[in-house]
Amino acid sequence: AQSVTQPDIHITVSEGASLELRCNYSYGATPYLFWYVQSPGQGLQLLLKYFSGDTLVQGIKGFEAEFKRSQSSFNLRKPSVHWSDAAEYFCAVAGNTGFQKLVFGTGTRLLVSP
Amino acid sequence: GAVVSQHPSWVICKSGTSVKIECRSLDFQATTMFWYRQFPKQSLMLMATSNEGSKATYEQGVEKDKFLINHASLTLSTLTVTSAHPEDSSFYICSARGRLGVIANTGELFFGEGSRLTVL
C-alpha cells in the first residue's frame, strides 16, 4: 500500500523568500502524486499533480514540484512566498492502477512572516 | 473546473441525534465519491468510497452502521452520522470523481468545502 511522509509539521518563511515543502512517498511503482492546499476551515484545492512525463510540474499560484524517483520525493517549491500562501499543504499519492483513492500525508503548516 | 458543494458547512447537534451531510457535484456527474474525516491539525483519513447505485466500501476501522453513506444519484452522496457522540465531532470532507473519459481521466478529485460537525 502507498504511504506519504511530510517530515515538516510547521515551516515559517519570510514574505518574498523561497519555499520548499518536502514530501516522500512509498509505492512499488510510479505513483500519481498531488499537492493540495487547505485554508483554515476550507476544503482542499489542487495545486498540481504528476502522472508521467516531465518530472518538473508547474501548478497554480506560482508553485512547482519535482518528482525524483531515486529519492521517492515530490517536493513543492515556490520562488517567492506571499502572505496569502499561509495555509496547510498536503501531499497525496494514488496508485497508478485504476486510480481509486488518495492517501494523504500529515500536512505541513506554512506560516509567512512579514 | 468542476465544483463540489457540501451542505451544511457547519452543524451543531446534541449527543444521540443523527446528522446528515450532503455532497453534490454541481456541474458534472460523479460516479465515485469519497468521504474523508479530518481531526484538528491532522491529515485527511479516508472513511469510505461510494459508487453511484452500489453500496459504499468502508475503510478498515470505520463503522458502517455509524456512518451511513448513500450515493443515490450521479450528483449526490450523503453521509449520515447516526447517534452522534462528542467523539464524532470532526471536519468531514467529500470528494468526487467524474465518469471515465470526462474528468476522471485527469485523475483529479474535486473536493467539497467540508462540513464541521460539533456534537455537544
Side-chain angles (χ1 to χ4, degrees):
Chain A
Q2 56 267 34
S3 66
V4 179
T5 302
Q6 291 181 251
D8 303 307
I9 298 175
H10 300 280
I11 280 186
T12 300
V13 175
S14 299
E15 189 169 16
S18 63
L19 168 71
E20 182 168 29
L21 302 182
R22 295 184 291 168
C23 172
N24 292 95
Y25 68 90
S26 174
Y27 185 64
T30 301
Y32 291 168
L33 295 160
F34 307 79
W35 274 99
Y36 286 87
V37 60
Q38 183 182 34
S39 297
Q42 299 295 314
L44 276 72
Q45 182 182 24
L46 179 67
L47 288 176
L48 47 78
K49 59 184 181 286
Y50 171 80
F51 290 167
S52 64
D54 192 345
T55 56
L56 184 62
V57 180
Q58 301 297 320
I60 63 172
K61 303 184 179 185
F63 286 93
E64 66 177 27
E66 186 171 11
F67 169 59
K68 293 186 177 180
R69 184 191 306 275
S70 61
Q71 299 177 18
S72 297
S73 69
F74 188 57
N75 294 348
L76 181 71
R77 301 193 294 249
K78 186 169 184 178
S80 178
V81 169
H82 189 262
W83 64 267
S84 60
D85 293 324
E88 188 88 20
Y89 291 81
F90 292 97
C91 182
V93 61
N96 60 10
T97 55
F99 185 71
Q100 284 298 314
K101 55 191 180 185
L102 289 181
V103 173
F104 286 86
T106 49
T108 298
R109 180 166 296 278
L110 173 64
L111 304 173
V112 180
S113 61
Chain B
V3 178
V4 175
S5 178
Q6 277 184 246
H7 178 80
S9 56
W10 59 271
V11 56
I12 301 173
C13 69
K14 293 182 179 180
S15 184
T17 62
S18 294
V19 175
K20 180 183 287 187
I21 300 170
E22 295 184 346
C23 178
R24 293 182 183 273
S25 56
L26 299 186
D27 51 3
F28 69 102
Q29 293 182 326
T31 52
T32 304
M33 286 186 173
F34 303 87
W35 285 94
Y36 291 85
R37 181 174 180 176
Q38 185 179 31
F39 291 101
K41 300 183 179 181
Q42 294 189 29
S43 188
L44 285 77
M45 302 300 295
L46 181 66
M47 299 174 65
T49 302
S50 74
N51 292 294
E52 185 266 337
S54 62
K55 290 183 178 180
T57 302
Y58 289 80
E59 295 298 302
Q60 191 173 7
V62 177
E63 301 175 58
K64 59 181 66 177
D65 295 331
K66 174 76 170 176
F67 299 99
L68 301 179
I69 292 173
N70 183 280
H71 193 163
S73 77
L74 285 171
T75 59
L76 175 64
S77 176
T78 60
L79 167 68
T80 301
V81 183
T82 62
S83 186
H85 287 92
E87 58 265 30
D88 298 324
S89 299
S90 192
F91 194 56
Y92 294 88
I93 303 178
C94 73
S95 66
R97 188 181 76 194
R99 286 187 180 280
L100 192 66
V102 181
I103 294 176
N105 265 356
T106 70
E108 182 172 353
L109 292 178
F110 297 93
F111 285 81
E113 314 94 322
S115 300
R116 183 163 303 284
L117 170 62
T118 301
V119 184
L120 303 177

